[in-house]
Amino acid sequence: MLLIRLLYLYLLFESSNSQHDHYHDHDHDHDHNHNHVHHRGTSDGDEVDQQRSLDSYGFKILGKNFKSKEEFVQSGNVCRFVSPDSKRKEKSKKKLWKHETRKKKLKFWKAKIGKGRQMQSTLSEVSVQVHFHIIQKQDESGNIVSSNISDNQVDEQINILNDAYGGKATIDCANIQTTYGTATPFKFELATLERKSNSGWYDKPNSNNYEMFKELRRGNCSDLNIYSTGGDSYLGWATFPDECADNLLVDGVVIYEETLPGGSAAPYNLGDTLVHEVGHWLGLLHTFEGGCGNGDFVEDTPPENTSAAGCPISRDTCSGDNGLDPIHNFMDYSDDCCMYEFTGGQAERMTAVADVYRDLRSPDSSEEYANFLNPETSSQVQCENSESKLTVIIKTDEFGSETSWSVSHSGSTDTMFDEPPLGQVFSDLGTYEVSKCLSPGAYKFTINDAFGDGLCCENGNGSYSVFLDGELIASGGESFASQDHDFEVGTKCKDMSLKLKTDQFGEETSWTIKNSNGSTILDGSEFEDNSNFLVKSCLPLSDHYTFQIKDSEKDGICCNYGDGYYELSYDNAVIGVGGSFDSRTQHILGECPSGHSKFSLHIRMDRYATETRWKLLLSDWTLLDSGGYYYTESFSDFHYDTCLLTSKCYRFRIFDRAGDGICCSQGNGFYEINFNGFQRRGDVFANRQTTLFGGSCRVSEYNELLSENENEDITVRNKKIRRKRKNLQKKIEMNSKKKQTKDV
């Protein structure tokens, strides 16, 4: 069938003397849907002009006369596409480098952690929605005087696009089947087709394109808008992808209507002008961009010094490059019948550009790794009191995937933290705030830019800022490949631990730790009976704290109703231990504030702890604190401390209700007080003993102390002792019965 059709076409060509026509036969018997069949009498592409009816000027197209087709090609009227300047090219190069880096990371990490299917060597389909706008011209009477483009022509043009971008084989200028081109993932689907009459737009689409696009353009950067017009001296032109985000209204492709399949613009009437311009729309440059250098940024397109005209077989304008000119490439200026391929590198570039600039993605592309690779924009942590919070704020430029940072111990090559996490990249023009907790030590913060140009300022105003507990310790952004910042995390707090064992009445016990402002920062209550508890925390160095333990029945937690106790440690040292107290006792954790000193009291009880009580007063008898009577085990220990102004004078008074002190007939009891270097230990006294201490005590107060401590008559005192002890024993028995009743 194919041979019969080719013979028919050859005979048809021989019978034609007036004109050389290009027909696109969509229904011939071939393995593929799209084939270009060109009527030629010779295999030499340079002789294609002989098949055209020529006037005295040699070549006529777009209403203009040229001496030759070569002159037309060299005039620049084939394509009005304006190549991006060097700055834009470099910017696009970086973005595509980022895209390739992300794909490599995705492929590696998906394989490593088994996330979904693997990256494919062939790309999946990328659907492109096409909005076709046919611009028509009217005469003064309102009649359409431009070409009557049919719906079938538009459908045929879409088919040609899909065949070209699908890598289908075709028939070349010598009526010979071509090799297969490289398939790209793009599939073009006609979404809308409209006709608009506007003679100004038709005649001058180049100067009127803004108004035309503004009124007619549909969709976003991923939508291909095509406008067929009167050409305005050009076969076609397209906008480059990097312009779309900032100027959507001027994004699209404009073509001369006679370049559509079946049009009159031979040898450019087989539909490949649109294939060429869509290549620009997807990010391709001309194959001759930059001459014999690699100006089109595609490695596998052979260099070409100038554009080709016709179909010059064996043309080689760049000697020594081991390759002929790419005259069959859709991005050259050859005749339509001569162009039938994209290279693999061009397919990769278009796919990457479409992803980066047009949001056109296959499942293998950014859509799949948008969430997989992009880290959280904010990652907050709650650090322990002993730790410092390191906060890093990164504002990326237009190439976020280039940026990464890490923290390591000083002198170590092993990183503690890496951001973004392995397998992820920062997005472009994003802000990321990440916090990490660090223990005391020496560290190094390192920030990297893979491209070596930093975060600012050519490609956006990116920056980085590093804070340690809210204080800025490093910042920057301009021109770097890698920057290090050393810093130290000092000791912030001291460890506190509380071991607590309750007696038989755990619900009576409670405790608090308050800061210098009196605010409770830790507490505990409602404990189970005869149970052990452990509380640990780290208290900031910037303050001092008061620990207070209470018993609601005023008999402590030891020892009449169990062997309860507490042990309080601070900065790895025991500062309070016991269980014998009345309603409460307390301890100071940390250093007292400026102008204050710690007052410490230790009482070793004799056999009758219930006889003992004490008071802490100012020298003017103002009561500050007090304690007793202690319904605890004989010979037990009581500890207490608090912070007092160093400059004041104080009275410490200890009492024995039986009048025989705490030593020595009923046991070796004693008391000891310490304050700002002053120490006093006592044991033998009658009813009471007073000690003055502090920084402003007067001599008269010491004299008062001497007379106050004189002993009573021994006989009178012994009678009082026996009577008081009898009363105390009754009270103890009553409390015991009360406890037993409560327990029942």
Side-chain angles (χ1 to χ4, degrees):
M1 181 68 179
L2 177 60
L3 293 176
I4 294 174
R5 185 171 291 278
L6 289 176
L7 179 62
Y8 166 76
L9 292 173
Y10 175 77
L11 294 174
L12 181 65
F13 164 75
E14 290 294 324
S15 66
S16 175
N17 296 317
S18 61
Q19 184 172 346
H20 171 71
D21 295 322
H22 293 279
Y23 297 94
H24 186 280
D25 191 337
H26 189 63
D27 299 316
H28 62 80
D29 187 13
H30 193 272
D31 291 338
H32 302 280
N33 294 328
H34 169 229
N35 293 277
H36 291 171
V37 180
H38 301 275
H39 307 275
R40 301 182 53 82
T42 175
S43 61
D44 184 0
D46 283 325
E47 297 180 6
V48 70
D49 293 341
Q50 297 176 9
Q51 279 75 52
R52 186 175 179 83
S53 175
L54 304 177
D55 57 21
S56 58
Y57 291 97
F59 188 77
K60 184 176 182 180
I61 196 169
L62 290 165
K64 293 184 179 182
N65 299 311
F66 298 90
K67 293 180 181 180
S68 65
K69 191 190 322 180
E70 287 77 7
E71 183 184 62
F72 167 66
V73 170
Q74 293 170 6
S75 71
N77 292 96
V78 175
C79 177
R80 184 175 169 263
F81 172 74
V82 179
S83 181
D85 59 28
S86 59
K87 186 175 181 180
R88 283 175 57 198
K89 286 181 179 179
E90 185 66 19
K91 191 173 181 179
S92 294
K93 180 181 178 182
K94 287 186 64 178
K95 281 209 170 190
L96 297 182
W97 173 89
K98 173 201 73 172
H99 175 273
E100 187 62 27
T101 300
R102 293 177 72 183
K103 285 185 66 176
K104 288 179 180 178
K105 284 186 176 181
L106 174 65
K107 184 175 181 180
F108 174 79
W109 285 105
K110 284 178 67 179
K112 187 175 181 67
I113 67 177
K115 182 179 178 67
R117 61 180 176 78
Q118 302 304 311
M119 291 287 290
Q120 301 174 356
S121 57
T122 57
L123 295 173
S124 302
E125 183 178 290
V126 178
S127 177
V128 182
Q129 298 299 299
V130 178
H131 305 282
F132 210 107
H133 312 277
I134 299 173
I135 310 302
Q136 300 173 320
K137 184 175 181 177
Q138 294 178 322
D139 60 16
E140 294 180 356
S141 301
N143 300 314
I144 302 298
V145 294
S146 55
S147 294
N148 183 22
I149 299 175
S150 68
D151 290 359
N152 288 337
Q153 269 185 290
V154 175
D155 291 339
E156 181 69 0
Q157 178 66 81
I158 299 300
N159 290 335
I160 291 172
L161 272 180
N162 283 319
D163 287 347
Y165 283 86
K168 302 292 182 66
T170 184
I171 301 298
D172 67 10
C173 299
N175 294 326
I176 299 174
Q177 180 176 317
T178 67
T179 58
Y180 291 96
T182 298
T184 77
F186 301 102
K187 179 65 179 296
F188 300 90
E189 299 178 358
L190 184 62
T192 61
L193 172 62
E194 67 174 333
R195 292 171 171 82
K196 179 70 175 180
S197 296
N198 190 308
S199 298
W201 295 352
Y202 179 88
D203 291 332
K204 298 292 183 182
N206 301 330
S207 56
N208 294 319
N209 68 298
Y210 180 79
E211 293 299 325
M212 179 174 66
F213 285 16
K214 182 178 180 181
E215 180 173 330
L216 302 181
R217 197 190 189 289
R218 299 188 182 188
N220 51 37
C221 290
S222 63
D223 291 87
L224 173 59
N225 282 256
I226 301 170
Y227 306 83
S228 65
T229 69
D232 193 10
S233 302
Y234 296 95
L235 296 183
W237 56 271
T239 55
F240 211 56
D242 67 335
E243 300 175 285
C244 184
D246 295 329
N247 207 347
L248 176 64
L249 288 180
V250 297
D251 179 72
V253 173
V254 177
I255 57 169
Y256 177 37
E257 62 184 8
E258 298 298 341
T259 65
L260 293 172
S264 63
Y268 308 108
N269 61 343
L270 298 178
D272 288 337
T273 294
L274 184 59
V275 174
H276 176 100
E277 299 304 337
V278 171
H280 288 316
W281 188 81
L282 288 171
L284 294 184
L285 301 173
H286 291 129
T287 54
F288 48 85
E289 180 85 16
C292 291
N294 185 26
D296 67 347
F297 297 107
V298 179
E299 294 294 334
D300 61 356
T301 54
E304 185 178 25
N305 193 39
T306 58
S307 58
C311 194
I313 304 298
S314 301
R315 183 176 188 257
D316 188 5
T317 56
C318 295
S319 59
D321 59 10
N322 298 320
L324 299 176
D325 287 359
I327 64 168
H328 301 303
N329 196 288
F330 286 115
M331 299 315 293
D332 206 341
Y333 281 177
S334 306
D335 292 351
D336 277 15
C337 64
C338 191
M339 298 189 297
Y340 53 79
E341 67 179 5
F342 290 113
T343 68
Q346 287 176 316
E348 290 180 3
R349 178 177 172 86
M350 285 188 286
T351 303
V353 169
D355 182 352
V356 172
Y357 290 106
R358 295 207 176 279
D359 252 3
L360 287 168
R361 299 176 176 131
S362 72
D364 312 282
S365 192
S366 293
E367 185 176 59
E368 185 174 358
Y369 59 62
N371 295 326
F372 176 58
L373 290 180
N374 194 27
E376 296 291 331
T377 56
S378 181
S379 174
Q380 299 298 323
V381 294
Q382 186 66 41
C383 297
E384 299 293 336
N385 290 335
S386 60
E387 299 174 319
S388 286
K389 180 184 288 187
L390 180 76
T391 301
V392 180
I393 300 176
I394 301 290
K395 294 183 179 179
T396 60
D397 60 6
E398 296 177 358
F399 302 94
S401 64
E402 300 171 2
T403 305
S404 63
W405 63 266
S406 63
V407 173
S408 60
H409 284 291
S410 293
S412 173
T413 58
D414 296 329
T415 60
M416 301 170 56
F417 309 115
D418 293 278
E419 289 291 334
L422 291 174
Q424 297 184 338
V425 294
F426 291 128
S427 66
D428 304 335
L429 301 175
T431 299
Y432 295 87
E433 180 176 341
V434 177
S435 295
K436 301 292 184 180
C437 298
L438 298 176
S439 300
Y443 299 91
K444 178 175 67 175
F445 169 81
T446 301
I447 186 166
N448 303 296
D449 183 87
F451 206 80
D453 60 353
L455 295 164
C456 183
C457 299
E458 181 179 352
N459 299 297
N461 295 318
S463 64
Y464 69 89
S465 302
V466 185
F467 299 86
L468 186 64
D469 290 332
E471 181 180 352
L472 182 66
I473 60 172
S475 62
E478 294 187 32
S479 301
F480 67 86
S482 180
Q483 289 183 345
D484 295 332
H485 297 278
D486 294 317
F487 64 97
E488 289 189 2
V489 174
T491 302
K492 293 185 59 183
C493 65
K494 291 184 178 180
D495 291 323
M496 181 283 303
S497 69
L498 172 64
K499 296 179 181 178
L500 175 65
K501 182 178 181 181
T502 60
D503 61 7
Q504 297 174 14
F505 300 92
E507 75 275 6
E508 298 175 359
T509 305
S510 63
W511 63 269
T512 59
I513 293 180
K514 298 182 178 181
N515 61 18
S516 59
N517 295 325
S519 299
T520 300
I521 58 174
L522 293 170
D523 60 12
S525 61
E526 301 295 330
F527 296 108
E528 295 181 1
D529 304 338
N530 299 314
S531 300
N532 293 293
F533 300 91
L534 176 63
V535 179
K536 290 186 176 182
S537 184
C538 196
L539 304 180
L541 295 174
S542 58
D543 208 347
H544 77 281
Y545 307 88
T546 301
F547 167 81
Q548 194 170 85
I549 186 168
K550 297 180 179 180
D551 185 88
S552 61
E553 292 297 319
K554 301 181 181 181
D555 57 0
I557 55 177
C558 182
C559 296
N560 294 324
Y561 305 102
D563 55 350
Y565 72 95
Y566 70 89
E567 180 180 294
L568 179 67
S569 297
Y570 181 69
D571 195 21
N572 300 315
V574 176
I575 63 168
V577 62
S580 299
F581 55 91
D582 54 349
S583 61
R584 62 180 175 82
T585 190
Q586 68 180 46
H587 300 281
I588 299 298
L589 294 79
E591 300 295 328
C592 290
S594 177
H596 293 69
S597 297
K598 182 185 288 188
F599 168 81
S600 297
L601 168 63
H602 176 199
I603 302 176
R604 170 72 57 80
M605 306 297 177
D606 63 4
R607 188 182 304 276
Y608 300 99
T610 54
E611 299 174 356
T612 305
R613 64 186 179 92
W614 58 271
K615 290 183 179 181
L616 177 62
L617 310 97
L618 287 172
S619 59
D620 63 1
W621 301 96
T622 300
L623 180 65
L624 300 177
D625 210 342
S626 62
Y629 301 97
Y630 297 99
Y631 295 93
T632 62
E633 189 177 40
S634 302
F635 316 121
S636 59
D637 290 280
F638 169 78
H639 297 271
Y640 167 93
D641 46 62
T642 189
C643 289
L644 300 174
L645 281 169
T646 308
S647 60
K648 296 287 186 178
C649 181
Y650 304 93
R651 298 176 187 269
F652 173 75
R653 308 188 80 192
I654 188 166
F655 304 87
D656 185 83
R657 187 153 48 179
D660 60 353
I662 55 178
C663 184
C664 296
S665 60
Q666 301 300 327
N668 296 320
F670 66 87
Y671 72 90
E672 182 177 281
I673 60 173
N674 288 274
F675 180 76
N676 193 31
F678 171 81
Q679 185 178 52
R680 174 67 186 269
R681 182 184 176 101
D683 47 22
V684 179
F685 59 90
N687 294 88
R688 61 184 178 272
Q689 191 170 68
T690 302
T691 302
L692 272 73
F693 63 94
S696 61
C697 296
R698 299 192 302 273
V699 175
S700 60
E701 291 174 309
Y702 285 103
N703 293 334
E704 179 186 24
L705 171 67
L706 294 176
S707 62
E708 185 178 22
N709 288 336
E710 292 177 355
N711 292 331
E712 300 181 47
D713 177 79
I714 190 66
T715 303
V716 176
R717 188 181 68 180
N718 287 338
K719 289 181 179 180
K720 290 181 179 180
I721 289 173
R722 288 191 296 269
R723 184 170 63 251
K724 289 180 178 179
R725 284 178 179 164
K726 186 177 180 180
N727 293 334
L728 287 173
Q729 186 62 36
K730 289 181 179 180
K731 189 171 184 179
I732 291 173
E733 292 175 356
M734 290 177 63
N735 285 337
S736 180
K737 290 180 180 180
K738 182 179 179 182
K739 289 267 189 176
Q740 292 172 359
T741 302
K742 181 179 180 181
D743 192 28
V744 172

